[in-house]
């Protein structure tokens, strides 16, 4: 969904309290956001609840919703906050950025294998899955959710340089896996 | 040529962060190295669209979400919302039918009214009409008193029997 469409929905919800628009927004961001939230809290099921809560907040914002500059990024930020809070409650540690997470935490950021076009796509997908969690998170936010370095850095609470480092490492690792199949 | 540079440039290109100078450099590198060229094309894949399966999951999640919203939100908020979600599905889909039924009913009753109106003037031979701004009270054959408000009409028959006492008002 392009930015112009998102703005249309945003205004329809904020000003007209348009439920069809709200439904469209909910469905459009459901899959990417439960995957993103699920990657942080290591459970897509728990991420469903976070997403539902975030979307209730969105409805309750009423007219102030129209003032949000980039709703898509805002939604990712809300999910991140909710996910960090959830982890905080579980582990009793303070988390305010991706750097606060241990490097080896298990990520569940997965793509359903069934919709991959062919065997080769599956190889790429496996390569993405086997990335270190933070690396994979950065890669997906950029390549699949369409954020740039600055936005990704804002969403994850880490510097642009670190984002670029993660992205370059991700590309290198995926390439290393793909190389085996190129010959 | 440094592989590190290739990965750096490819990352920037994939992220949409590369400058035109960097894109030129990347193109040059892929032309020189066929393996890099293949990697470039493979990594520039298009993401698969949402599957039907995922679409269904999202729709289900939305229905659950709406239930949750009704529990969480204050009642007033729910009532402000378009009433469609609070109605069971069968009512939602019967709505157009209800409209049709209503118009049929209106047409039907108009026809009946015209038909009966012509009839009742013969049958109910007594007519009391009030002008605008005046009221009156009348006594029907069985002794009942009726207050007739302004600009109204009441018809009643002479043969008011004890079983049914029919009057027409307009």
């Amino acid at each position: 969904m392009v930015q112009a469409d998102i703005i249309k929905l945003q205004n329809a919800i904020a000003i007209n309290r348009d439920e069809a628009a709200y439904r469209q927004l909910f469905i459009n961001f459901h899959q990417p956001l439960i995957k993103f939230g699920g990657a942080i809290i290591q459970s897509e099921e728990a991420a469903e609840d976070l997403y539902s809560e975030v979307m209730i907040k969105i409805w309750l914002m009423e007219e102030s919703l129209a003032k949000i500059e980039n709703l898509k990024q805002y939604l990712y930020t809300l999910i991140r906050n909710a996910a960090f809070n959830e982890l905080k409650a579980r582990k009793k540690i303070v988390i305010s950025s991706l750097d606060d997470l241990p490097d080896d935490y298990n990520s569940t950021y997965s793509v359903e294998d069934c919709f991959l076009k062919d065997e080769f796509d599956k190889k790429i997908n496996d390569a993405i899955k086997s990335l270190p969690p933070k690396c994979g998170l950065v890669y997906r936010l950029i390549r699949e959710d369409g954020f740039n370095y600055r936005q990704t850095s804002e969403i994850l609470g880490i510097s642009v340089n670190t984002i670029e480092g993660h992205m370059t490492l991700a590309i290198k690792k995926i390439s290393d896996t793909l190389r085996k199949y190129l010959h | 040529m440094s592989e590190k540079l290739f990965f750096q440039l490819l990352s920037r290109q994939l992220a949409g962060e590369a400058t035109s100078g960097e894109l030129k450099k990347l193109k040059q590198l892929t032309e020189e190295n066929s393996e890099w060229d293949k990697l470039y094309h493979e990594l520039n894949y298009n993401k698969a669209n949402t599957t039907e399966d995922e679409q269904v999951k999202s729709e289900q999640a939305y229905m659950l979400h709406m239930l949750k919203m009704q529990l969480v939100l204050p009642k007033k908020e729910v009532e402000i919302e378009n009433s469609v979600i609070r109605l069971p599905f069968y009512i939602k889909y019967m709505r157009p039918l209800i409209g049709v039924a209503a118009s049929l009913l209106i047409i039907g009753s108009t026809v009946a009214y015209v038909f009966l109106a012509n009839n009742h003037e013969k049958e109910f031979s007594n007519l009391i009409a009030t002008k605008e701004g005046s009221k009156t009270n009348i006594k029907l054959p069985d002794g009942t008193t009726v207050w007739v408000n302004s600009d109204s009409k009441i018809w009643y028959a002479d043969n008011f029997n004890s079983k049914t006492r029919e009057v027409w008002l307009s």
Side-chain angles (χ1 to χ4, degrees), chain B residues 2 10 20 26 30 36 44-45 48 50 69 72-73 77 85 92 101 105 108 110-111 114 123 125 127 136 152 162 169:
Chain B
S2 143
L10 180 57
S20 60
L26 181 64
T30 54
W36 289 352
N44 271 283
Y45 67 92
T50 322
M69 275 221 352
V72 171
L73 299 189
E77 176 74 34
I85 50 141
K92 192 173 161 187
L105 200 67
T110 311
V111 170
V114 171
E123 235 181 81
S125 47
L127 164 67
T136 187
S152 308
S162 54
L169 293 166

PDB file of all heavy atoms in Angstrom, chain B residues 2 10 20 26 30 36 44-45 48 50 69 72-73 77 85 92 101 105 108 110-111 114 123 125 127 136 152 162 169:
ATOM      1  N   SER B   2      37.511  -4.953  -4.565  1.00  0.00           N
ATOM      2  CA  SER B   2      37.161  -5.424  -3.222  1.00  0.00           C
ATOM      3  C   SER B   2      35.719  -5.926  -3.134  1.00  0.00           C
ATOM      4  O   SER B   2      34.783  -5.259  -3.573  1.00  0.00           O
ATOM      5  CB  SER B   2      37.395  -4.275  -2.242  1.00  0.00           C
ATOM      6  OG  SER B   2      36.415  -4.291  -1.250  1.00  0.00           O
ATOM      7  N   LEU B  10      25.873  -2.955  -2.895  1.00  0.00           N
ATOM      8  CA  LEU B  10      24.650  -3.727  -3.134  1.00  0.00           C
ATOM      9  C   LEU B  10      23.631  -3.473  -2.003  1.00  0.00           C
ATOM     10  O   LEU B  10      22.435  -3.305  -2.263  1.00  0.00           O
ATOM     11  CB  LEU B  10      24.985  -5.216  -3.249  1.00  0.00           C
ATOM     12  CG  LEU B  10      23.806  -6.172  -3.494  1.00  0.00           C
ATOM     13  CD1 LEU B  10      23.028  -5.788  -4.749  1.00  0.00           C
ATOM     14  CD2 LEU B  10      24.286  -7.615  -3.598  1.00  0.00           C
ATOM     15  N   SER B  20      23.558   8.229  -7.200  1.00  0.00           N
ATOM     16  CA  SER B  20      23.713   7.848  -8.616  1.00  0.00           C
ATOM     17  C   SER B  20      25.158   7.427  -8.900  1.00  0.00           C
ATOM     18  O   SER B  20      25.401   6.536  -9.713  1.00  0.00           O
ATOM     19  CB  SER B  20      23.269   8.991  -9.531  1.00  0.00           C
ATOM     20  OG  SER B  20      24.058  10.130  -9.283  1.00  0.00           O
ATOM     21  N   LEU B  26      28.379   0.351  -8.907  1.00  0.00           N
ATOM     22  CA  LEU B  26      27.862  -0.998  -8.719  1.00  0.00           C
ATOM     23  C   LEU B  26      27.660  -1.693 -10.071  1.00  0.00           C
ATOM     24  O   LEU B  26      27.984  -2.861 -10.241  1.00  0.00           O
ATOM     25  CB  LEU B  26      26.533  -0.954  -7.942  1.00  0.00           C
ATOM     26  CG  LEU B  26      25.872  -2.289  -7.631  1.00  0.00           C
ATOM     27  CD1 LEU B  26      26.729  -3.134  -6.702  1.00  0.00           C
ATOM     28  CD2 LEU B  26      24.492  -2.084  -7.005  1.00  0.00           C
ATOM     29  N   THR B  30      29.364  -5.194 -11.387  1.00  0.00           N
ATOM     30  CA  THR B  30      28.629  -6.391 -11.824  1.00  0.00           C
ATOM     31  C   THR B  30      28.972  -6.761 -13.266  1.00  0.00           C
ATOM     32  O   THR B  30      28.891  -7.925 -13.644  1.00  0.00           O
ATOM     33  CB  THR B  30      27.105  -6.198 -11.698  1.00  0.00           C
ATOM     34  OG1 THR B  30      26.735  -5.015 -12.389  1.00  0.00           O
ATOM     35  CG2 THR B  30      26.667  -6.084 -10.246  1.00  0.00           C
ATOM     36  N   TRP B  36      28.972 -11.761  -9.256  1.00  0.00           N
ATOM     37  CA  TRP B  36      28.356 -10.601  -8.609  1.00  0.00           C
ATOM     38  C   TRP B  36      27.091 -10.179  -9.350  1.00  0.00           C
ATOM     39  O   TRP B  36      26.117  -9.760  -8.744  1.00  0.00           O
ATOM     40  CB  TRP B  36      29.357  -9.426  -8.553  1.00  0.00           C
ATOM     41  CG  TRP B  36      30.468  -9.659  -7.565  1.00  0.00           C
ATOM     42  CD1 TRP B  36      30.559 -10.687  -6.672  1.00  0.00           C
ATOM     43  CD2 TRP B  36      31.630  -8.846  -7.376  1.00  0.00           C
ATOM     44  NE1 TRP B  36      31.711 -10.570  -5.932  1.00  0.00           N
ATOM     45  CE2 TRP B  36      32.391  -9.458  -6.341  1.00  0.00           C
ATOM     46  CE3 TRP B  36      32.115  -7.678  -7.976  1.00  0.00           C
ATOM     47  CZ2 TRP B  36      33.603  -8.919  -5.896  1.00  0.00           C
ATOM     48  CZ3 TRP B  36      33.317  -7.152  -7.526  1.00  0.00           C
ATOM     49  CH2 TRP B  36      34.057  -7.761  -6.489  1.00  0.00           C
ATOM     50  N   ASN B  44      17.776  -8.842  -5.890  1.00  0.00           N
ATOM     51  CA  ASN B  44      16.766  -7.860  -6.253  1.00  0.00           C
ATOM     52  C   ASN B  44      15.436  -8.533  -6.596  1.00  0.00           C
ATOM     53  O   ASN B  44      14.711  -8.085  -7.469  1.00  0.00           O
ATOM     54  CB  ASN B  44      17.241  -7.016  -7.443  1.00  0.00           C
ATOM     55  CG  ASN B  44      18.019  -5.804  -6.974  1.00  0.00           C
ATOM     56  OD1 ASN B  44      17.443  -4.827  -6.526  1.00  0.00           O
ATOM     57  ND2 ASN B  44      19.343  -5.873  -7.070  1.00  0.00           N
ATOM     58  N   TYR B  45      15.135  -9.617  -5.906  1.00  0.00           N
ATOM     59  CA  TYR B  45      13.863 -10.312  -6.157  1.00  0.00           C
ATOM     60  C   TYR B  45      12.712  -9.442  -5.649  1.00  0.00           C
ATOM     61  O   TYR B  45      12.890  -8.563  -4.807  1.00  0.00           O
ATOM     62  CB  TYR B  45      13.844 -11.666  -5.425  1.00  0.00           C
ATOM     63  CG  TYR B  45      13.829 -11.553  -3.926  1.00  0.00           C
ATOM     64  CD1 TYR B  45      12.638 -11.538  -3.217  1.00  0.00           C
ATOM     65  CD2 TYR B  45      15.024 -11.441  -3.206  1.00  0.00           C
ATOM     66  CE1 TYR B  45      12.629 -11.410  -1.842  1.00  0.00           C
ATOM     67  CE2 TYR B  45      15.028 -11.316  -1.828  1.00  0.00           C
ATOM     68  CZ  TYR B  45      13.824 -11.295  -1.145  1.00  0.00           C
ATOM     69  OH  TYR B  45      13.813 -11.161   0.218  1.00  0.00           O
ATOM     70  N   ALA B  48       7.060 -11.714  -2.534  1.00  0.00           N
ATOM     71  CA  ALA B  48       5.769 -12.318  -2.880  1.00  0.00           C
ATOM     72  C   ALA B  48       4.644 -11.524  -2.199  1.00  0.00           C
ATOM     73  O   ALA B  48       4.815 -11.022  -1.106  1.00  0.00           O
ATOM     74  CB  ALA B  48       5.748 -13.763  -2.406  1.00  0.00           C
ATOM     75  N   THR B  50       0.915 -10.950  -0.447  1.00  0.00           N
ATOM     76  CA  THR B  50       0.244 -11.679   0.617  1.00  0.00           C
ATOM     77  C   THR B  50      -0.525 -12.854   0.017  1.00  0.00           C
ATOM     78  O   THR B  50      -1.195 -12.701  -0.998  1.00  0.00           O
ATOM     79  CB  THR B  50      -0.763 -10.758   1.328  1.00  0.00           C
ATOM     80  OG1 THR B  50      -0.195  -9.470   1.410  1.00  0.00           O
ATOM     81  CG2 THR B  50      -1.064 -11.263   2.712  1.00  0.00           C
ATOM     82  N   MET B  69     -12.585  -5.031  20.847  1.00  0.00           N
ATOM     83  CA  MET B  69     -12.854  -3.591  20.899  1.00  0.00           C
ATOM     84  C   MET B  69     -14.138  -3.306  21.648  1.00  0.00           C
ATOM     85  O   MET B  69     -14.223  -2.343  22.401  1.00  0.00           O
ATOM     86  CB  MET B  69     -12.954  -3.019  19.481  1.00  0.00           C
ATOM     87  CG  MET B  69     -11.644  -2.695  18.996  1.00  0.00           C
ATOM     88  SD  MET B  69     -11.212  -1.261  18.069  1.00  0.00           S
ATOM     89  CE  MET B  69     -12.423  -0.260  17.532  1.00  0.00           C
ATOM     90  N   VAL B  72     -13.524  -3.733  25.345  1.00  0.00           N
ATOM     91  CA  VAL B  72     -12.578  -2.780  25.927  1.00  0.00           C
ATOM     92  C   VAL B  72     -13.117  -1.354  25.947  1.00  0.00           C
ATOM     93  O   VAL B  72     -12.970  -0.639  26.924  1.00  0.00           O
ATOM     94  CB  VAL B  72     -11.236  -2.834  25.152  1.00  0.00           C
ATOM     95  CG1 VAL B  72     -10.314  -1.712  25.575  1.00  0.00           C
ATOM     96  CG2 VAL B  72     -10.561  -4.172  25.380  1.00  0.00           C
ATOM     97  N   LEU B  73     -13.761  -0.964  24.846  1.00  0.00           N
ATOM     98  CA  LEU B  73     -14.151   0.432  24.723  1.00  0.00           C
ATOM     99  C   LEU B  73     -15.377   0.752  25.567  1.00  0.00           C
ATOM    100  O   LEU B  73     -16.232  -0.101  25.772  1.00  0.00           O
ATOM    101  CB  LEU B  73     -14.453   0.770  23.258  1.00  0.00           C
ATOM    102  CG  LEU B  73     -13.292   0.606  22.298  1.00  0.00           C
ATOM    103  CD1 LEU B  73     -13.658   1.178  20.950  1.00  0.00           C
ATOM    104  CD2 LEU B  73     -12.042   1.290  22.830  1.00  0.00           C
ATOM    105  N   GLU B  77     -18.641   4.821  23.004  1.00  0.00           N
ATOM    106  CA  GLU B  77     -17.767   4.772  21.832  1.00  0.00           C
ATOM    107  C   GLU B  77     -18.273   3.762  20.814  1.00  0.00           C
ATOM    108  O   GLU B  77     -18.325   4.015  19.632  1.00  0.00           O
ATOM    109  CB  GLU B  77     -16.353   4.424  22.284  1.00  0.00           C
ATOM    110  CG  GLU B  77     -15.350   4.231  21.175  1.00  0.00           C
ATOM    111  CD  GLU B  77     -14.935   5.537  20.526  1.00  0.00           C
ATOM    112  OE1 GLU B  77     -14.873   6.559  21.238  1.00  0.00           O
ATOM    113  OE2 GLU B  77     -14.699   5.540  19.320  1.00  0.00           O
ATOM    114  N   ILE B  85     -21.219  -3.235  12.477  1.00  0.00           N
ATOM    115  CA  ILE B  85     -20.458  -4.299  13.134  1.00  0.00           C
ATOM    116  C   ILE B  85     -21.204  -4.933  14.287  1.00  0.00           C
ATOM    117  O   ILE B  85     -20.925  -6.048  14.650  1.00  0.00           O
ATOM    118  CB  ILE B  85     -19.111  -3.812  13.697  1.00  0.00           C
ATOM    119  CG1 ILE B  85     -19.320  -2.566  14.532  1.00  0.00           C
ATOM    120  CG2 ILE B  85     -18.069  -3.666  12.648  1.00  0.00           C
ATOM    121  CD1 ILE B  85     -18.460  -2.582  15.748  1.00  0.00           C
ATOM    122  N   LYS B  92     -27.054  -8.053   8.594  1.00  0.00           N
ATOM    123  CA  LYS B  92     -26.271  -7.182   7.713  1.00  0.00           C
ATOM    124  C   LYS B  92     -26.636  -7.458   6.256  1.00  0.00           C
ATOM    125  O   LYS B  92     -26.855  -6.565   5.471  1.00  0.00           O
ATOM    126  CB  LYS B  92     -24.789  -7.440   7.959  1.00  0.00           C
ATOM    127  CG  LYS B  92     -23.900  -6.421   7.334  1.00  0.00           C
ATOM    128  CD  LYS B  92     -22.483  -6.679   7.776  1.00  0.00           C
ATOM    129  CE  LYS B  92     -21.523  -5.999   6.836  1.00  0.00           C
ATOM    130  NZ  LYS B  92     -20.151  -6.369   7.153  1.00  0.00           N
ATOM    131  N   ALA B 101     -38.654  -5.011   1.320  1.00  0.00           N
ATOM    132  CA  ALA B 101     -39.885  -5.390   2.026  1.00  0.00           C
ATOM    133  C   ALA B 101     -40.641  -4.159   2.500  1.00  0.00           C
ATOM    134  O   ALA B 101     -41.860  -4.069   2.376  1.00  0.00           O
ATOM    135  CB  ALA B 101     -39.536  -6.288   3.212  1.00  0.00           C
ATOM    136  N   LEU B 105     -44.347  -2.928   1.425  1.00  0.00           N
ATOM    137  CA  LEU B 105     -45.350  -2.692   2.457  1.00  0.00           C
ATOM    138  C   LEU B 105     -46.001  -1.319   2.267  1.00  0.00           C
ATOM    139  O   LEU B 105     -47.221  -1.158   2.353  1.00  0.00           O
ATOM    140  CB  LEU B 105     -44.681  -2.780   3.830  1.00  0.00           C
ATOM    141  CG  LEU B 105     -45.609  -3.019   5.005  1.00  0.00           C
ATOM    142  CD1 LEU B 105     -46.230  -4.401   4.902  1.00  0.00           C
ATOM    143  CD2 LEU B 105     -44.847  -2.873   6.320  1.00  0.00           C
ATOM    144  N   GLY B 108     -48.154  -1.422  -0.798  1.00  0.00           N
ATOM    145  CA  GLY B 108     -49.331  -2.226  -0.469  1.00  0.00           C
ATOM    146  C   GLY B 108     -50.320  -1.452   0.378  1.00  0.00           C
ATOM    147  O   GLY B 108     -51.519  -1.416   0.085  1.00  0.00           O
ATOM    148  N   THR B 110     -50.607   1.739   0.707  1.00  0.00           N
ATOM    149  CA  THR B 110     -51.179   2.882  -0.005  1.00  0.00           C
ATOM    150  C   THR B 110     -52.360   2.427  -0.856  1.00  0.00           C
ATOM    151  O   THR B 110     -53.429   3.041  -0.850  1.00  0.00           O
ATOM    152  CB  THR B 110     -50.121   3.546  -0.906  1.00  0.00           C
ATOM    153  OG1 THR B 110     -48.952   3.745  -0.142  1.00  0.00           O
ATOM    154  CG2 THR B 110     -50.604   4.860  -1.457  1.00  0.00           C
ATOM    155  N   VAL B 111     -52.131   1.309  -1.572  1.00  0.00           N
ATOM    156  CA  VAL B 111     -53.202   0.763  -2.404  1.00  0.00           C
ATOM    157  C   VAL B 111     -54.409   0.432  -1.523  1.00  0.00           C
ATOM    158  O   VAL B 111     -55.542   0.818  -1.810  1.00  0.00           O
ATOM    159  CB  VAL B 111     -52.713  -0.493  -3.164  1.00  0.00           C
ATOM    160  CG1 VAL B 111     -53.883  -1.209  -3.828  1.00  0.00           C
ATOM    161  CG2 VAL B 111     -51.664  -0.099  -4.190  1.00  0.00           C
ATOM    162  N   VAL B 114     -56.144   3.652  -0.345  1.00  0.00           N
ATOM    163  CA  VAL B 114     -56.966   4.293  -1.378  1.00  0.00           C
ATOM    164  C   VAL B 114     -58.261   3.504  -1.570  1.00  0.00           C
ATOM    165  O   VAL B 114     -59.350   4.048  -1.618  1.00  0.00           O
ATOM    166  CB  VAL B 114     -56.188   4.403  -2.706  1.00  0.00           C
ATOM    167  CG1 VAL B 114     -57.089   4.854  -3.841  1.00  0.00           C
ATOM    168  CG2 VAL B 114     -55.009   5.360  -2.531  1.00  0.00           C
ATOM    169  N   GLU B 123     -69.385   3.393   3.734  1.00  0.00           N
ATOM    170  CA  GLU B 123     -69.794   2.580   4.879  1.00  0.00           C
ATOM    171  C   GLU B 123     -69.966   3.400   6.144  1.00  0.00           C
ATOM    172  O   GLU B 123     -70.944   3.287   6.850  1.00  0.00           O
ATOM    173  CB  GLU B 123     -68.709   1.511   5.112  1.00  0.00           C
ATOM    174  CG  GLU B 123     -69.253   0.108   5.123  1.00  0.00           C
ATOM    175  CD  GLU B 123     -68.119  -0.856   5.376  1.00  0.00           C
ATOM    176  OE1 GLU B 123     -67.748  -1.023   6.538  1.00  0.00           O
ATOM    177  OE2 GLU B 123     -67.598  -1.405   4.386  1.00  0.00           O
ATOM    178  N   SER B 125     -70.754   6.538   7.245  1.00  0.00           N
ATOM    179  CA  SER B 125     -71.400   7.703   6.639  1.00  0.00           C
ATOM    180  C   SER B 125     -71.241   8.994   7.437  1.00  0.00           C
ATOM    181  O   SER B 125     -71.429  10.079   6.907  1.00  0.00           O
ATOM    182  CB  SER B 125     -72.887   7.421   6.416  1.00  0.00           C
ATOM    183  OG  SER B 125     -73.399   6.858   7.604  1.00  0.00           O
ATOM    184  N   LEU B 127     -69.175  11.833   9.221  1.00  0.00           N
ATOM    185  CA  LEU B 127     -67.836  12.425   9.205  1.00  0.00           C
ATOM    186  C   LEU B 127     -67.822  13.660  10.083  1.00  0.00           C
ATOM    187  O   LEU B 127     -68.686  14.522   9.973  1.00  0.00           O
ATOM    188  CB  LEU B 127     -67.443  12.803   7.770  1.00  0.00           C
ATOM    189  CG  LEU B 127     -66.251  13.768   7.634  1.00  0.00           C
ATOM    190  CD1 LEU B 127     -64.946  13.111   8.088  1.00  0.00           C
ATOM    191  CD2 LEU B 127     -66.136  14.260   6.199  1.00  0.00           C
ATOM    192  N   THR B 136     -62.600  19.691  18.894  1.00  0.00           N
ATOM    193  CA  THR B 136     -63.997  19.431  19.271  1.00  0.00           C
ATOM    194  C   THR B 136     -64.092  18.098  19.986  1.00  0.00           C
ATOM    195  O   THR B 136     -63.176  17.287  19.918  1.00  0.00           O
ATOM    196  CB  THR B 136     -64.916  19.449  18.024  1.00  0.00           C
ATOM    197  OG1 THR B 136     -66.268  19.348  18.482  1.00  0.00           O
ATOM    198  CG2 THR B 136     -64.646  18.260  17.105  1.00  0.00           C
ATOM    199  N   SER B 152     -58.348  17.455  11.826  1.00  0.00           N
ATOM    200  CA  SER B 152     -58.479  15.997  11.783  1.00  0.00           C
ATOM    201  C   SER B 152     -59.868  15.617  11.300  1.00  0.00           C
ATOM    202  O   SER B 152     -60.781  16.440  11.293  1.00  0.00           O
ATOM    203  CB  SER B 152     -58.283  15.399  13.179  1.00  0.00           C
ATOM    204  OG  SER B 152     -57.089  15.858  13.740  1.00  0.00           O
ATOM    205  N   SER B 162     -72.120  -3.710  19.231  1.00  0.00           N
ATOM    206  CA  SER B 162     -71.395  -3.825  20.494  1.00  0.00           C
ATOM    207  C   SER B 162     -70.081  -4.597  20.364  1.00  0.00           C
ATOM    208  O   SER B 162     -69.193  -4.459  21.169  1.00  0.00           O
ATOM    209  CB  SER B 162     -72.281  -4.483  21.557  1.00  0.00           C
ATOM    210  OG  SER B 162     -72.745  -5.713  21.013  1.00  0.00           O
ATOM    211  N   LEU B 169     -59.752   7.497  11.180  1.00  0.00           N
ATOM    212  CA  LEU B 169     -59.169   8.786  11.544  1.00  0.00           C
ATOM    213  C   LEU B 169     -58.240   9.255  10.439  1.00  0.00           C
ATOM    214  O   LEU B 169     -57.605   8.451   9.785  1.00  0.00           O
ATOM    215  CB  LEU B 169     -58.366   8.663  12.843  1.00  0.00           C
ATOM    216  CG  LEU B 169     -59.156   8.358  14.113  1.00  0.00           C
ATOM    217  CD1 LEU B 169     -58.209   7.944  15.219  1.00  0.00           C
ATOM    218  CD2 LEU B 169     -59.996   9.561  14.520  1.00  0.00           C
TER     219      LEU B 169
END
